[in-house]
Amino acid sequence: MSDDLNMTDTKSFKVGLIGADIQLSKSPALHMREGAAHGLDYSYELVDVVARKLPESALPDLLNELESRGFAGTNITHPFKQAVLPHLHELSDDARMLGAVNTVVFKDGRRIGHNTDWYGFYESFMRGLPDAKRDRALLVGAGGAGVAVAHAALKLGITHLDICDRDFSRAEHLAAELNARFGEGHAFAVKDPADSLPFADGLIHATPMGMPAHPGMPVKADLLEQRHWVADIVYMPLVTELLATAAQKGCRTLPGGGMTVFQAVGAFRLFCGREPDAERMTAHFTEICTKEGVA
């Protein structure tokens, strides 16, 4: 972290989240509780295009709005993690490498895009499935979240990553990018989960499926076996249909809550220049979910 961030005297921060169907997001509570622990006047606003009845093309106007209202920055979620790129002045190394942004910092009239998603998934996996077999895995979803999770998967030591997306060309593109970054023979596009899961150690799900507005499962239940581990990035609900089905079959599972917490840790740091307490934020997330009956 830069010295100017460490030395900031600002006590008031307004930040937000731009996305679709995000009214159940836990990010406001996570950020504001941590801000209060640092003695900050810290507000976090949901900017939901569904709730506002706006088209996805409203993204540039929403960025302008938040910037003009003096926001320190905003998180970005589905479906804007890649669409936001043309509207930024600068990208961090991670965001440029991944081609996806989940955090935008407004500073000195400039918009700087960052990606804390990959770090969030990496930390969550290391804590939740530290000894999981990682020879081969299937990733479902090659969109904005998928590109970050794929990067984390290879950083975790998964040596063979199959990628499946309803847009096969997008899976091919992501596989090519990963092989250029990590070396040939690490990532492969597949057209059907059935082409991978019988040979894979685990499944990573990185699409909105399983959320209230996108019910269902990304793979057929009969493809899941007890030997598989299953990681989901969806956290609303915390136990998705995919994770519930996997647990019934005896699979080890990783809910999306951990990724949510650790991407928030990274975003909080970027927004206000303070070092968040990851354990405190994790405990708060668990508390929220327990109160809401989703833990």
Side-chain angles (χ1 to χ4, degrees), residues 35-49:
H38 287 262
L40 303 175
D41 175 13
Y42 194 108
S43 64
Y44 192 110
E45 181 176 323
L46 295 178
V47 183
D48 189 338
V49 294

Side-chain angles (χ1 to χ4, degrees), residues 239-253:
V239 179
T240 59
E241 183 180 347
L242 171 65
L243 292 185
T245 300
Q248 289 171 1
K249 288 175 172 277
C251 303
R252 296 175 65 189
T253 61

Side-chain angles (χ1 to χ4, degrees), residues 95-164:
R96 183 181 305 106
M97 176 174 59
L98 297 174
V101 161
N102 79 317
T103 304
V104 176
V105 174
F106 301 133
K107 186 175 182 181
D108 301 328
R110 295 177 64 79
R111 300 170 182 171
I112 306 164
H114 300 264
N115 192 303
T116 66
D117 278 337
W118 85 265
Y119 162 78
F121 185 80
Y122 181 95
E123 285 293 323
S124 176
F125 195 100
M126 288 298 292
R127 292 171 181 237
L129 294 172
D131 58 349
K133 189 178 180 184
R134 305 176 206 175
D135 292 339
R136 183 171 179 174
L138 169 66
L139 167 66
V140 177
V147 295
V149 171
H151 180 82
L154 294 188
K155 284 281 192 180
L156 285 164
I158 292 171
T159 53
H160 179 130
L161 183 68
D162 291 325
I163 303 168
C164 184

Side-chain angles (χ1 to χ4, degrees), residues 19-34:
D21 191 38
I22 54 174
Q23 292 305 302
L24 297 177
S25 174
K26 308 298 185 291
S27 291
L30 274 177
H31 277 256
M32 290 192 292
R33 170 80 72 88
E34 187 61 19

Side-chain angles (χ1 to χ4, degrees), residues 190-201:
V190 297
K191 292 187 175 181
D192 192 305
D195 297 332
S196 173
L197 273 179
F199 315 102
D201 302 310

Side-chain angles (χ1 to χ4, degrees), residues 19 33 41 45 54 91 101 141 157 187 189 201 215 217 220 223 262:
R33 170 80 72 88
D41 175 13
E45 181 176 323
L54 295 173
L91 295 175
V101 161
D201 302 310
M217 282 179 53
K220 294 179 180 177
L223 288 175
F262 285 100

Side-chain angles (χ1 to χ4, degrees), residues 261-277:
V261 169
F262 285 100
Q263 67 82 16
V265 165
F268 183 93
R269 185 185 295 126
L270 289 165
F271 287 143
C272 67
R274 305 297 181 96
E275 190 58 36
D277 186 325

